[in-house]
Amino acid sequence: MLNYIWVFMIAAGIIYGSFTGQMAAISNGVIDSSKEAVQLCITMLGVVALWTGMMEIAKESGLVAGLTKGLRPFLKFLFPRIPEKHPAFSYISLNIIANVLGLGWAATPAGLKAMEALSQLEKERQGKEWEHPEKFGKKRSASNEMCIFLILNISSLQLIPVNMIAYRSQYGSVDPAVIIAPAIIATFFSTLAAVIYCKVKDRKY
């Protein structure tokens, strides 16, 4: 769907520029945007390298393990049906920690692994119904735990919005980090709303 929207917007811009005699401006805009995109990629590459390295240091130093242990009560509250020592807990914890630190790139692999673990858990629960849902008059769908994790991942609290700070710095902001406090407040309430929503819906199913 997004591809169609982008194609429509690009086509509409070119057609409008043709009829209004602004093709030169469109061409210049394409060239300038391409140059800015490359510069932004170089900037973000440095940011990614820095914070991914910091995450690796945190893992090796035991900081991630300590934070994961501290998250256990919260995770058990949100995911009461996941067995105590299931590997999904570790992946979910790492994903949350990375998101809180604003490391969306580091959070993605852990998030995918968490979804795989939750999918495997649902497969073990349902057995043959999971392998051949059509025989039981059902459709294979995401489990409550998978939905809760996805919602939590999207609404995640961020203490350091690394992406936005990097973007603001790239485009000449006088104080790129000024958004930290508003970001913490906004993501705190988004996470709170997500937790309340998940618990309410989880009780119904």
Side-chain angles (χ1 to χ4, degrees), residues 33-54:
S33 297
S34 300
K35 181 177 69 175
E36 288 183 7
V38 172
Q39 291 174 342
L40 181 60
C41 286
I42 294 173
T43 299
M44 296 307 294
L45 180 62
V47 175
V48 170
L50 170 64
W51 286 101
T52 302
M54 293 291 286

Side-chain angles (χ1 to χ4, degrees), residues 19 21 32 41 46 62 67 74 81 84 89 92-93 102-103 106 117 120 126 131 150-151 179 187 192 194 197:
F19 280 103
D32 291 341
C41 286
L67 292 173
F74 174 69
R81 290 185 295 276
E84 182 66 32
F89 271 131
I92 293 173
S93 297
L103 310 178
Q120 182 62 33
Q126 295 189 16
E131 295 289 348
L150 180 61
I151 293 171
I179 62 169
T187 55
L192 180 62
Y197 175 82

Side-chain angles (χ1 to χ4, degrees), residues 6-204:
W6 279 112
V7 169
F8 171 77
M9 292 173 64
I10 292 170
I14 293 174
I15 293 171
Y16 179 80
S18 300
F19 280 103
T20 58
Q22 298 293 323
M23 286 303 295
I26 292 176
S27 299
N28 291 334
V30 170
I31 294 172
D32 291 341
S33 297
S34 300
K35 181 177 69 175
E36 288 183 7
V38 172
Q39 291 174 342
L40 181 60
C41 286
I42 294 173
T43 299
M44 296 307 294
L45 180 62
V47 175
V48 170
L50 170 64
W51 286 101
T52 302
M54 293 291 286
M55 177 60 76
E56 289 299 318
I57 292 172
K59 287 169 63 177
E60 292 296 327
S61 67
L63 178 60
V64 171
L67 292 173
T68 299
K69 186 176 181 180
L71 281 173
R72 283 282 170 162
F74 174 69
L75 294 181
K76 286 301 294 182
F77 170 73
L78 277 180
F79 305 97
R81 290 185 295 276
I82 297 179
E84 182 66 32
K85 294 185 179 181
H86 197 274
F89 271 131
S90 297
Y91 294 128
I92 293 173
S93 297
L94 186 58
N95 177 268
I96 291 175
I97 292 168
N99 272 325
V100 167
L101 296 177
L103 310 178
W105 316 280
T108 300
L112 293 174
K113 286 289 187 181
M115 278 296 189
E116 288 179 6
L118 292 174
S119 177
Q120 182 62 33
L121 178 61
E122 191 66 12
K123 180 179 178 180
E124 293 169 0
R125 285 174 180 167
Q126 295 189 16
K128 293 182 178 180
E129 292 185 19
W130 177 268
E131 295 289 348
H132 306 285
E134 66 283 353
K135 293 183 179 180
F136 298 87
K138 295 182 178 181
K139 291 183 178 180
R140 190 178 295 173
S141 59
S143 66
N144 279 17
E145 287 78 15
M146 294 169 75
C147 293
I148 290 171
F149 173 66
L150 180 61
I151 293 171
L152 190 66
N153 186 64
I154 293 170
S155 64
S156 179
L157 171 69
Q158 283 197 1
L159 297 181
I160 308 172
V162 176
N163 283 0
M164 292 306 300
I165 292 174
Y167 293 147
R168 286 168 58 83
S169 177
Q170 171 69 24
Y171 289 105
S173 173
V174 176
D175 188 2
V178 74
I179 62 169
I180 290 179
I184 291 174
I185 295 171
T187 55
F188 170 79
F189 282 106
S190 68
T191 303
L192 180 62
V195 170
I196 294 172
Y197 175 82
C198 289
K199 295 305 293 183
V200 169
K201 299 300 279 187
D202 194 35
R203 288 180 181 179
K204 292 183 178 181

